[in-house]
Amino acid sequence: DAKTTQPPSMDCAEGRAANLPCNHSTISGNEYVYWYRQIHSQGPQYIIHGLKNNETNEMASLIITEDRKSSTLILPHATLRDTAVYYCIGKGERAQKLVFGQGTRLTINP
Amino acid sequence: DAGVIQSPRHEVTEMGQEVTLRCKPISGHNSLFWYRQTMMRGLELLIYFNNNVPIDDSGMPEDRFSAKMPNASFSTLKIQPSEPRDSAVYFCASSSARGLAVHGETQYFGPGTRLLVL
């Protein structure tokens, strides 16, 4: 599975878009980019995943660069409840294991 | 759906005692995962099962740890004997693996069991 690199922490104002970057320069062609988040004292929560195309769901948008070496998770209108650690994970098509790094600690400020 | 259920939610025990953590996956899910989270090592996969069969236990730290899944609706993670360094939050997760289409599966995590070994 591809190694991912994320900034250790970020801040964002409530109501603004939170853009969380992830570098995965060694990602292979069949590896997906997954995003999970972990709110304090809770289990990780799936957010979104993608392969090549940009993806959007009710929680977030995922923008993957054309060369697939990096991606950005976008929370369009961040709320205080979005304060959490966000994990970017590369996972092979047939792999089941999730390998969590240190993630980005996102703090939404009022 | 109640989601993944773990028990107990908190456990305090003394070194040397046996500890058993329990997990009930989401009904219909056929894959189950045990993770451990500590400040030092982050979130680590210990073992996972497909259709009640252990597939990969390479993350199990040592022989003191064992995991079983006697049926599709129940799994246990046992530590015997427990040591202070086993103190951590243990998460169980489940998913619905669809054979070759596993890339689309989502893992759903339980609330975790907070274990403190004194």
Side-chain angles (χ1 to χ4, degrees), chain B residues 27-63:
Chain B
S27 178
H29 282 186
N30 61 342
S31 294
L32 184 139
F33 306 78
W34 281 102
Y35 291 85
R36 178 174 69 175
Q37 187 171 35
T38 62
M39 288 292 292
M40 290 295 293
R41 300 175 66 88
L43 197 58
E44 306 172 280
L45 177 67
L46 300 177
I47 185 172
Y48 75 93
F49 297 81
N50 278 352
N51 299 313
N52 312 337
V53 176
I55 302 301
D56 185 346
D57 65 354
S58 60
M60 296 286 263
E62 50 196 275
D63 292 345

Side-chain angles (χ1 to χ4, degrees), chain A residues 11-33:
Chain A
D11 285 85
C12 180
E14 186 179 18
R16 303 296 293 271
N19 298 289
L20 291 90
C22 178
N23 287 323
H24 33 78
S25 58
T26 62
I27 199 168
S28 62
N30 66 350
E31 284 187 296
Y32 285 70
V33 179

Side-chain angles (χ1 to χ4, degrees), chain A residues 31-97:
Chain A
E31 284 187 296
Y32 285 70
V33 179
Y34 278 74
W35 284 83
Y36 279 74
R37 74 178 181 183
Q38 187 173 23
I39 296 171
H40 181 61
S41 298
Q42 298 182 22
Q45 175 191 25
Y46 166 82
I47 301 173
I48 198 168
H49 75 280
L51 182 63
K52 296 180 181 178
N53 301 320
N54 299 335
E55 302 287 345
T56 296
N57 63 19
E58 65 278 6
M59 291 183 68
S61 294
L62 175 60
I63 308 299
I64 303 174
T65 58
E66 192 169 343
D67 63 8
R68 299 209 329 118
K69 293 186 176 182
S70 66
S71 60
T72 301
L73 178 74
I74 300 173
L75 308 178
H77 304 287
T79 71
L80 298 179
R81 289 177 296 179
D82 292 322
T83 292
V85 178
Y86 287 76
Y87 298 98
C88 171
I89 302 167
K91 189 167 84 71
E93 181 180 25
R94 295 170 186 257
Q96 286 190 268
K97 295 171 62 170

Side-chain angles (χ1 to χ4, degrees), chain B residues 4 7-8 10 14 46 64 81 87 91 105 109 117:
Chain B
V4 175
S7 64
H10 302 271
E14 292 187 344
L46 300 177
R64 297 184 297 106
S87 298
F91 290 103
E105 73 184 61
F109 284 75
V117 183

